[in-house]
């Protein structure tokens, strides 16, 4: 591997103009394809194989006029001062509101609470439902403005009006500021790390190029592969992060090779052969983690994972080809400004030479990374105690936060509370029950009577049959809220009794769906997929790391360290978002359950990033070990050359993710916080502390591999052992070519 990539890096350095033109051509080609491609489809959420999805598809087929997949807005109206809505003046204002809703853009129907008996027992509160002909993701700004105007006019008339539902515009969505802050901090960190604007700009340029190509390719293939506009969200975030990291490691290795006195072309080739090999295998682990989301069997997550995996693959190719080409354009300017004369070929003055000698002497002194490594190998058991951060994860409570967990000042939360107060907690989580039979109306009436007697059911609405009379639908109102365990138990009970209910009512087929049931099935699907996904990702990555490090204990330690990082991040999330610790600092006003999607999402993203740091740090240790260093000295050497770079890469990642903590949207805030904490913990605790501590405890046994397995496994040579032998004559050949060019 190292020898092959050495040749790739040397070719890219020599033919830098050709390589740059090829990548520019790829960018232009994908950009042109994206600009001429049909618009991408809107997001659709489906969960094949679940009862909720089966019932939802049945409703779409049997009740086409209902627009079951259309967005809805549930508008809650309350008379001020405890007055009754039956008052003629108040009633007229409510009817005016219903009329305005019916005339709003994209609305196909609006229910009148006085006709549907949607009025509370005390007569002070009512609700109307506006149904749209489009899904929530297809609604335009004009539709949102029409709804807002209807609500504002009703409030101006003296009514208390709030609205919930997926048709209501959600505030606090990310607007691009978070990404801008992350890129700005990344640029500052890169400049401080390299001491060169050129080197910093090179890393940012290559990362942006990879993201641009990946995003354009996703747009170009959107209509063909069904990739929606939001499919690229994860791809852009991960692509930017790993793109900066990969370029950072290659450029950093080039600078260290130059500092050791190698010729420019040889330094670039060796940087690609060594750091580039680590980039390839680190990229493979990220790709495995993201592509592994297919096992969850949720099409939306599958598409996001595959799109992100493709963008990471582009970032890897850019790192091993375009980065050495750029180094060819600026082989000296990527070095620190104070050291450039040393590599420019111009003789140094006596004063400059003395300064260079002093800097070289300082360069051999232990830096922060090597000092920390020496402490860790001397006090491994003390460092291992840092793992207690993961303890709160044992209290993790998962759920899908809805309108009941939104900020109190939002109209959705106000509408939710008003409905709970006036109609009961379960009114915010109704269950939709479909009954399919030859005489659906009669069968559904019987099913409804049985369900009304079920414990935990507050009310059952009369059944509504379709035109053909073979399918009917009724609504079940639970006594408890949509996120409570009693409601989940009720859904399970109805489904278990479905066969009995159907058999006693003409052999009908009874199915349960609705948003509450859909959320329950979604959480259950994620729970069922968790272990298979974790096993697939960790298992494949374990095999890759065995090939990279030729050891069993090092990959095992890497996998366990990753699990500790995810557990610690989840522990921090539990403490802040579930328990409310430091809630004021992070803007968490109402602690509650953690999103069901967060653990599996974190596994995919954090695993890939964690393996990046593992591969980059430990390959440098193995490189020193195979060249004769003792195990402890190999650890110190790895941290001496890789610790600062890994730390800079982690700070960049944390800065990108931390920007999202400032968003108002609680979901975005939770994701940004969890990823920032996970990267921070993994880089500075697991990789920077636990890794050297465990290496100190394991000693030479860390690199143990059974002889039979050693003979069977291919030798990938990621650490570049062969480069110290085979290409030894390259620098001399370069000097001869340079001398010949000078004579001509």
């Amino acid at each position: 591997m190292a020898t092959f990539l050495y040749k790739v890096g040397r070719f890219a350095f020599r033919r830098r103009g050709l390589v740059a033109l090829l990548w520019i051509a790829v960018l232009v080609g994908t950009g042109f394809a994206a600009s001429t491609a049909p618009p991408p489809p809107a997001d659709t959420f489906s969960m094949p194989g679940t009862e909720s999805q089966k019932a939802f598809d049945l409703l779409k087929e049997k009740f086409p006029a209902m627009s079951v997949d259309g967005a809805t807005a549930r508008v809650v109206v309350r008379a001020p001062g405890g007055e009754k809505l039956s008052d003629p003046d108040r009633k007229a204002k409510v009817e005016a509101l219903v009329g305005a809703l019916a005339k709003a853009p994209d609305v196909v129907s609006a229910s009148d609470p006085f006709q549907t008996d949607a009025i509370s027992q005390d007569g002070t509160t009512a609700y109307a439902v506006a149904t749209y002909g489009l899904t929530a993701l297809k609604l335009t700004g004009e539709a949102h403005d029409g709804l807002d105007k209807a609500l504002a006019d009703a409030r101006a008339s003296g009514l208390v009006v709030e609205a919930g539902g997926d048709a209501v515009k959600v505030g606090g969505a990310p607007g691009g500021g978070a990404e801008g802050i992350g890129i700005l901090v990344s640029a500052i960190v890169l400049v401080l790390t390299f001491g060169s604007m050129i080197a910093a700009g090179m890393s940012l340029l290559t990362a942006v190029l990879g993201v641009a190509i990946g995003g354009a390719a996703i747009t170009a293939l959107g209509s063909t592969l069904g990739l929606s506009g939001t499919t690229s969200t994860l791809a852009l975030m991960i692509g930017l992060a790993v793109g900066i990291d990969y370029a950072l490691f290659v450029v950093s290795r080039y600078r260290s090779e130059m500092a050791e006195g190698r010729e420019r072309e040889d330094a670039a080739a060796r940087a690609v052969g060594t750091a580039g090999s680590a980039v390839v295998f680190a990229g493979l682990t990220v790709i495995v983690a993201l592509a592994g989301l297919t096992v969850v069997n949720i099409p939306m997550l599958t598409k996001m994972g595959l799109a992100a995996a493709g963008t990471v693959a582009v970032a890897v190719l850019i790192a091993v080809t375009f980065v050495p080409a750029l180094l060819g354009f600026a082989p000296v300017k990527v070095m620190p400004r104070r050291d450039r004369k040393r590599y420019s070929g111009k003789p140094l003055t006596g004063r400059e030479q003395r300064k260079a000698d002093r800097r070289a002497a300082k360069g051999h002194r232990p830096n922060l990374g090597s000092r920390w490594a020496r402490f860790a190998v001397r006090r491994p058991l003390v460092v291992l105690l840092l793992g207690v951060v993961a303890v709160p994860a044992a209290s993790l409570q998962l759920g899908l936060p809805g309108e009941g967990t939104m900020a109190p000042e939002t109209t959705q939360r106000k509408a939710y509370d008003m409905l709970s107060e006036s109609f009961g907690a379960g009114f915010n989580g109704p269950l939709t029950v479909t009954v399919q039979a030859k005489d659906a109306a009669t069968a559904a009436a019987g099913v409804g009577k049985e369900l009304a007697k079920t414990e935990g059911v507050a009310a059952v609405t009369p059944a509504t049959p379709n035109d053909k009379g073979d399918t009917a639908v009724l609504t079940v109102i639970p006594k408890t809220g949509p996120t409570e365990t009693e409601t989940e138990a009720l859904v399970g009970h109805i489904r278990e009794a479905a066969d009995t209910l159907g058999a006693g009512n003409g052999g009908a087929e009874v199915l349960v769906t609705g948003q509450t049931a859909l959320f329950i099935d979604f959480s259950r699907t994620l729970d069922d997929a968790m272990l298979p996904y974790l096993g697939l990702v960790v298992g494949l990555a374990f095999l890759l790391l065995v090939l990279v490090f030729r050891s069993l204990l090092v990959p095992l330690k890497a996998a366990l360290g990753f699990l500790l990082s995810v557990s610690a991040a989840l522990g921090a999330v539990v403490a802040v978002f579930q328990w409310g610790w430091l809630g004021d600092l992070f803007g968490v006003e109402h602690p509650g359950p953690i999103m069901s999607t967060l653990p599996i999402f974190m596994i995919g993203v954090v695993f890939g990033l964690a393996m990046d740091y593992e591969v980059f740090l430990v390959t440098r240790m193995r490189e020193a070990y195979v060249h004769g260093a003792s195990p402890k000295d190999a650890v110190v050497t790895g941290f001496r050359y890789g610790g600062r770079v890994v730390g800079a890469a982690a700070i960049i990642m944390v800065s990108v993710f931390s920007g999202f903590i400032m968003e108002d949207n609680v979901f975005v805030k939770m994701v940004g916080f969890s990823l920032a904490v996970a990267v921070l913990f993994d880089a500075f605790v697991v990789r920077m502390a636990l890794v050297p501590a465990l290496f100190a405890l394991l000693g030479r046994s860390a690199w143990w591999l059974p002889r039979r397995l050693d003979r069977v496994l291919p030798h990938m040579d990621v650490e570049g052992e062969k480069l110290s032998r085979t290409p030894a004559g390259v620098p001399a050949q370069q000097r001869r070519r340079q001398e010949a060019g000078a004579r001509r």
Side-chain angles (χ1 to χ4, degrees), residues 552-575:
L552 293 181
L553 295 180
V554 171
L556 179 62
K557 171 194 61 62
L560 294 177
F562 151 72
L563 294 176
L564 180 59
S565 296
V566 172
S567 300
L570 288 176
V573 170
V574 167

Side-chain angles (χ1 to χ4, degrees), residues 372-373 375-377 379-391 557-558 560-569 572 610 613-614 617-618 621 635 639 643 646-647 650-651 654 676-695:
W372 169 253
F375 167 78
V377 298
R379 302 287 187 272
L381 294 178
V382 174
V383 174
L384 288 175
L385 293 177
L386 294 173
V388 299
V389 182
V391 171
K557 171 194 61 62
L560 294 177
F562 151 72
L563 294 176
L564 180 59
S565 296
V566 172
S567 300
Y613 302 140
E614 179 75 15
L617 198 59
V618 180
M621 297 179 192
V635 172
F639 273 85
V646 169
I651 292 174
V654 172
V677 171
V679 171
L680 185 68
F681 186 88
D682 189 85
F684 294 103
V685 176
V686 174
R687 309 304 158 189
M688 295 286 197
L690 299 184
V691 165
L694 288 173
F695 270 109

Side-chain angles (χ1 to χ4, degrees), residues 169-250:
K169 181 169 55 179
V170 178
E179 296 91 329
I181 294 173
I183 292 177
L184 176 62
V185 175
S186 300
I188 295 173
V189 172
L190 287 170
V191 171
L192 294 177
T193 301
F194 285 132
S196 165
M197 293 289 292
I198 298 296
M202 192 177 293
S203 298
L204 288 174
L205 173 64
T206 53
V208 171
L209 175 66
V211 166
I213 292 174
I218 293 171
T219 302
L221 298 173
S223 60
T224 303
L225 302 181
L227 305 177
S228 66
T230 58
T231 303
S232 61
T233 302
L234 180 63
L236 298 182
M237 180 174 63
I238 301 302
L240 180 64
V242 301
I244 294 175
D245 274 7
Y246 295 163
L248 172 65
F249 282 102
V250 173

Side-chain angles (χ1 to χ4, degrees), residues 37 75 99 166 219 230 239 265 273 278 293 322 328 436 488 501 515 572 579 601 638 671 698 709 744:
V75 180
D166 56 356
T219 302
T230 58
E265 182 180 312
L293 287 172
F322 191 49
Q436 194 172 16
E488 182 177 355
L501 289 171
Q515 187 179 58
W579 294 349
F601 179 75
V671 170
L698 294 174
L709 187 59
R744 288 196 298 269

Side-chain angles (χ1 to χ4, degrees), residues 96-115:
L97 169 61
V98 173
L101 291 173
K103 295 178 182 178
D106 298 327
V107 173
V108 295
S109 66
S111 64
D112 187 335
F114 295 103
Q115 296 179 4

Side-chain angles (χ1 to χ4, degrees), residues 458-536:
V460 179
T461 64
T464 303
N466 66 342
D467 294 337
K468 292 184 178 180
D470 60 354
T471 306
V473 60
L474 47 85
T475 302
V476 176
I477 307 298
K479 292 181 179 179
T480 51
T483 60
E484 297 184 39
T485 56
E486 292 85 353
T487 304
E488 182 177 355
L490 175 62
V491 172
H493 175 72
I494 295 175
R495 286 175 171 173
E496 290 175 359
D499 292 340
T500 304
L501 289 171
N505 292 278
E509 182 182 19
V510 180
L511 301 173
V512 183
T513 187
Q515 187 179 58
T516 300
L518 188 70
F519 281 1
I520 291 172
D521 287 345
F522 182 73
S523 297
R524 189 169 298 162
T525 299
L526 290 175
D527 290 342
D528 293 342
M530 184 71 70
L531 288 180
Y533 176 64
L534 190 61
L536 173 68

